[in-house]
Amino acid sequence: MAQFKHLAELNSFMAMDGENVKGPVPRWQRKLNLSAASASFNSSALANTSARQTLSVSMSGNANNTLQLSTTGNSLKTPRKNGIKTAVVASSSKKTSQTPSKGASNGQSQPGGGDRFIPSRTTTDFDLGHYIVKQGATGTEEDAENEDGSAAAATNVPASPKQSERMKSLSEAMSGCDISKQRLLSFRTKVPAPPEGHINPLKAIYSVKTPMSAKSGSRYIPNAPERILDAPEIMNDYYLNLMDWSMDNVIAVALGSSVYLWNAATGTIEMLFENEGNDHACSLGWIHEGHILAVGTSAGTVELWDCENIKRLRVMNGHSARVGVLAWNSYVLCSGSRDGMIINHDVRSRQHNIGMLQGHTQEVCGLKWSPDGKYLASGGNDNLVHVWSAANGAPHATGEPLHVFNAHQAAIRALAWCPWQPNVLTSGGGTADRTIKFWNVANGQLMNSVDTKSQVCGLLFSKTYKELISAHGYVNNQLSIWKYPSMTKQVDLMGHTGRVLQIAMSPDGSTVMSAGADETLRLWNCFQPDPLLAKKEKSGVREKPSLLKQNMR
């Protein structure tokens, strides 16, 4: 029997006219199953038809313009909605599937291509959208089925006026607006309008500038002065130094023939002295610790004043022309004059002249000691910068200059030493130079040069940040804050209508005062410490418990 069974199977495999029951499902049957699954809402209507018939929907041109259902053979075409009331004839020769166009409901045709729409999730109300979808699904289910579960006609039953009014009031109360006018996907966020004359409106998306305070790694710097004081009759002379800020928070400023003291803590103003005749103060310099003020005069003398008792202590001679710049180093006072000489004064001794430095051929207008007291830098009207070495164990400079820098093309008045790099000297040139240069006094090399495009009148390093502030004259009369050592400009502080003659820093390093040729003194709170950073540093320092607390039980 086994051989007959095997022979029967071979005959069945080789038979060409029978139905292949073990092969794949035919394509027409797969499409039939898909069509039957998509038409599940009309499953009861399809129950009376044969398995080889499918549902076809056509638009008839009757008077009521209603949707009619009919069954045709092998019609697998999606209904077309093009806004024209013509019947769609099912054809078995062309089996195409077309998605209804967007403008079919309002009688408009969608042009080819179209635009791509991406909804905005941030402005989409998902709760309202869920309510709209839920309400529509509930209404469809109630209309589609009868009490016995059989399919009903596909006609929408209009709600009563009272029900519609109640639903409208509920929707307005719930969402604050009419739901019928709301969209599920929101595109209410629009691109900002481009400025007038803009060539490409799409570039408005990329033309929005990020504020400086929001940029990474930047800090907020007020661009307006905290306070403005009047400074009448202040001399508009580039070579003079007419202002200084003491460690006791007192500002001395020379106005005309008088010298005034302004207490920054209390706001009181007091006149120190007034010169007679044509004499006037040319330079001011506070001692580092104490209330002694040195005053260089137009007569070539250097005076010491006790500002607490308003009393002149002594007068030191030695120069043959006006004294335009002063610099303290402990008990030694260095003075620079128009005669090109630099004199070291020991204020403790009766014979105050302990050394003279000869190097400049014209007026000395810049003097600055390094923070460690090892070097004295001097700038002159001869476009030279000299670096003098201090004597062994003494706070005064002697001998020949250690370095002579001749890269500037104008007078050098602005000098500053880097607080955290004692070997780095910064110098600024006048109108014909307009550059800030950085020198390494250890090897005498030029480290960097920055073109500021304006006259450099003053330089100061910040005590809080690794930044540098520079005062400028023509053309903008601004103060500029730079990142160090990259020399990236942070901000320009505008306000002076005349060139900035000099700048001075408060004892805590948070405020800078600028004296302008417009006869104003302006206080800029530009180096205010970060309160969060200060709080972290304060919390990081642990207080040592007292012996009293340790012994208490």
Side-chain angles (χ1 to χ4, degrees):
M1 296 295 295
Q3 63 271 20
F4 296 110
K5 184 177 181 181
H6 179 65
L7 184 59
E9 290 179 356
L10 287 177
N11 293 332
S12 63
F13 289 154
M14 298 183 63
M16 302 296 292
D17 55 350
E19 184 177 0
N20 188 7
V21 295
K22 295 185 179 181
V25 181
R27 182 171 176 270
W28 63 268
Q29 193 171 355
R30 291 199 306 270
K31 296 185 68 175
L32 179 63
N33 295 335
L34 292 175
S35 179
S38 63
S40 59
F41 68 96
N42 260 345
S43 58
S44 60
L46 291 174
N48 299 327
T49 60
S50 61
R52 301 295 299 272
Q53 289 180 336
T54 57
L55 181 65
S56 174
V57 182
S58 63
M59 297 291 295
S60 63
N62 53 8
N64 295 327
N65 196 19
T66 58
L67 188 65
Q68 294 182 353
L69 302 177
S70 61
T71 57
T72 59
N74 296 335
S75 177
L76 299 175
K77 191 170 185 180
T78 306
R80 181 193 301 263
K81 297 182 181 179
N82 55 4
I84 304 175
K85 301 177 182 179
T86 57
V88 178
V89 181
S91 175
S92 59
S93 59
K94 295 183 180 180
K95 297 184 179 180
T96 59
S97 179
Q98 182 177 350
T99 305
S101 61
K102 185 178 180 181
S105 59
N106 53 6
Q108 297 178 356
S109 59
Q110 176 73 10
D115 196 6
R116 182 167 176 258
F117 169 70
I118 301 177
S120 175
R121 295 182 61 88
T122 57
T123 58
T124 301
D125 192 348
F126 289 97
D127 294 335
L128 180 60
H130 178 268
Y131 173 73
I132 296 175
V133 173
K134 196 74 175 177
Q135 186 185 34
T138 305
T140 305
E141 291 175 359
E142 291 178 354
D143 295 338
E145 295 185 0
N146 290 328
E147 296 180 357
D148 57 352
S150 59
T155 57
N156 295 328
V157 179
S160 62
K162 292 184 179 180
Q163 186 177 2
S164 300
E165 188 68 25
R166 185 169 65 253
M167 292 299 296
K168 183 176 181 181
S169 60
L170 287 176
S171 65
E172 292 178 355
M174 182 180 65
S175 59
C177 58
D178 191 1
I179 316 177
S180 60
K181 298 181 180 179
Q182 296 298 315
R183 298 179 180 271
L184 295 181
L185 300 179
S186 173
F187 51 93
R188 286 175 288 182
T189 303
K190 297 182 180 180
V191 179
E196 296 183 0
H198 209 283
I199 300 175
N200 188 2
L202 295 179
K203 292 183 180 179
I205 303 175
Y206 310 101
S207 63
V208 180
K209 294 182 179 180
T210 306
M212 181 64 71
S213 59
K215 290 184 179 179
S216 174
S218 63
R219 62 184 182 90
Y220 171 71
I221 302 176
N223 55 7
E226 184 181 7
R227 194 167 183 179
I228 301 177
L229 305 175
D230 291 329
E233 299 182 7
I234 189 170
M235 297 186 65
N236 185 8
D237 194 328
Y238 176 78
Y239 301 97
L240 304 185
N241 295 270
L242 304 175
M243 181 184 64
D244 197 16
W245 204 328
S246 73
M247 298 301 294
D248 295 332
N249 208 13
V250 178
I251 298 173
V253 58
L255 302 178
S257 60
S258 305
V259 175
Y260 293 88
L261 302 177
W262 181 69
N263 193 321
T266 60
T268 58
I269 301 175
E270 188 176 10
M271 187 176 71
L272 181 62
F273 68 89
E274 184 178 4
N275 288 307
E276 297 179 357
N278 295 327
D279 292 341
H280 58 86
C282 298
S283 58
L284 302 174
W286 287 98
I287 195 170
H288 293 318
E289 296 180 0
H291 46 80
I292 304 299
L293 177 67
V295 181
T297 66
S298 58
T301 61
V302 178
E303 301 177 357
L304 296 181
W305 284 81
D306 183 357
C307 296
E308 192 173 31
N309 300 317
I310 315 297
K311 181 181 179 182
R312 188 173 67 181
L313 300 178
R314 68 181 302 181
V315 179
M316 297 179 291
N317 299 313
H319 290 289
S320 59
R322 69 179 186 182
V323 179
V325 61
L326 298 169
W328 283 91
N329 188 20
S330 186
Y331 55 85
V332 173
L333 174 63
C334 297
S335 59
S337 172
R338 179 178 274 181
D339 57 10
M341 301 292 296
I342 300 174
I343 299 180
N344 296 312
H345 305 272
D346 187 347
V347 298
R348 306 172 303 170
S349 173
R350 182 178 182 86
Q351 299 297 328
H352 57 85
N353 191 340
I354 58 175
M356 300 179 66
L357 305 177
Q358 298 180 1
H360 292 280
T361 58
Q362 297 187 35
E363 181 174 6
V364 180
C365 51
L367 273 181
K368 196 74 71 173
W369 278 96
S370 62
D372 53 7
K374 294 182 179 180
Y375 303 102
L376 173 67
S378 62
N381 196 31
D382 53 1
N383 306 344
L384 298 178
V385 177
H386 289 189
V387 178
W388 311 82
S389 180
N392 293 330
H396 64 275
T398 58
E400 296 295 324
L402 182 64
H403 299 292
V404 177
F405 302 132
N406 57 1
H408 285 286
Q409 306 298 322
I412 299 101
R413 177 199 174 191
L415 295 171
W417 292 88
C418 183
W420 55 89
Q421 290 179 323
N423 293 332
V424 176
L425 171 67
T426 308
S427 59
T431 307
D433 184 77
R434 304 182 302 273
T435 61
I436 299 176
K437 298 185 185 298
F438 297 86
W439 310 92
N440 187 347
V441 298
N443 53 20
Q445 298 296 323
L446 176 63
M447 300 170 57
N448 191 11
S449 179
V450 180
D451 185 8
T452 63
K453 297 181 172 36
S454 59
Q455 179 188 39
V456 183
C457 302
L459 291 170
L460 286 175
F461 276 94
S462 172
K463 301 178 181 179
T464 310
Y465 305 95
K466 288 191 175 182
E467 295 176 351
L468 174 72
I469 184 170
S470 58
H472 298 274
Y474 310 110
V475 184
N476 295 324
N477 308 317
Q478 84 281 9
L479 281 81
S480 300
I481 298 179
W482 312 79
K483 275 284 187 184
Y484 180 83
S486 63
M487 289 304 289
T488 304
K489 184 179 290 188
Q490 295 291 96
V491 67
D492 284 333
L493 304 178
M494 312 296 294
H496 281 289
T497 57
R499 66 177 174 180
V500 182
L501 300 173
Q502 192 180 354
I503 53 177
M505 185 173 289
S506 62
D508 59 357
S510 62
T511 307
V512 173
M513 172 172 276
S514 59
D518 54 0
E519 298 186 346
T520 61
L521 303 176
R522 298 172 186 260
L523 283 85
W524 309 86
N525 192 10
C526 53
F527 294 126
Q528 184 69 26
D530 189 357
L532 298 179
L533 184 60
K535 187 177 180 181
K536 289 181 180 179
E537 293 178 354
K538 186 177 180 180
S539 61
V541 179
R542 299 181 60 183
E543 296 182 357
K544 185 177 180 181
S546 63
L547 296 177
L548 181 61
K549 291 184 178 180
Q550 292 179 359
N551 294 331
M552 292 179 63
R553 297 183 180 272

